[in-house]
Amino acid sequence: MAAIDPITAGGVFLATAATDAVYVMFTSAVVARKRVPAATWSSVWYMLSSYAVISYTENWLYVAFAAAGSWVGAYASITFLHRPPGGPPVGAAVE
């Protein structure tokens, strides 16, 4: 059985949690048709996801941490990032 480095596992978990939160922000900006925020969120999304992919490709067991982080990130972003009544979606900052 391959050893799991707790720091790498935590990094993968946090990177995928942040990736999913950023993906929600990206999607919100796309829905609002805000080009600059969508492009910015997209670049952050790929930067975060590349860390997780590079980390867990060296040990397949890190995929479990990636999946758990992804779930937490999506759940937290939908729970805590509410759309203001009548306002643009969260993450769709001014262009």
Side-chain angles (χ1 to χ4, degrees), residues 9-25 45 48-49 51-52 64-78 81:
V12 169
F13 178 86
L14 292 174
T16 53
T19 298
D20 268 48
V22 167
Y23 178 72
V24 169
M25 302 298 273
W45 173 25
L48 288 168
S49 64
Y51 171 78
F65 294 96
S70 178
W71 191 93
V72 168
Y75 183 86
S77 60
I78 295 298
L81 301 177

Side-chain angles (χ1 to χ4, degrees), residues 53-72:
V53 170
I54 290 167
S55 296
Y56 71 67
T57 53
E58 65 187 46
N59 184 341
W60 66 270
L61 293 174
Y62 292 120
V63 173
F65 294 96
S70 178
W71 191 93
V72 168

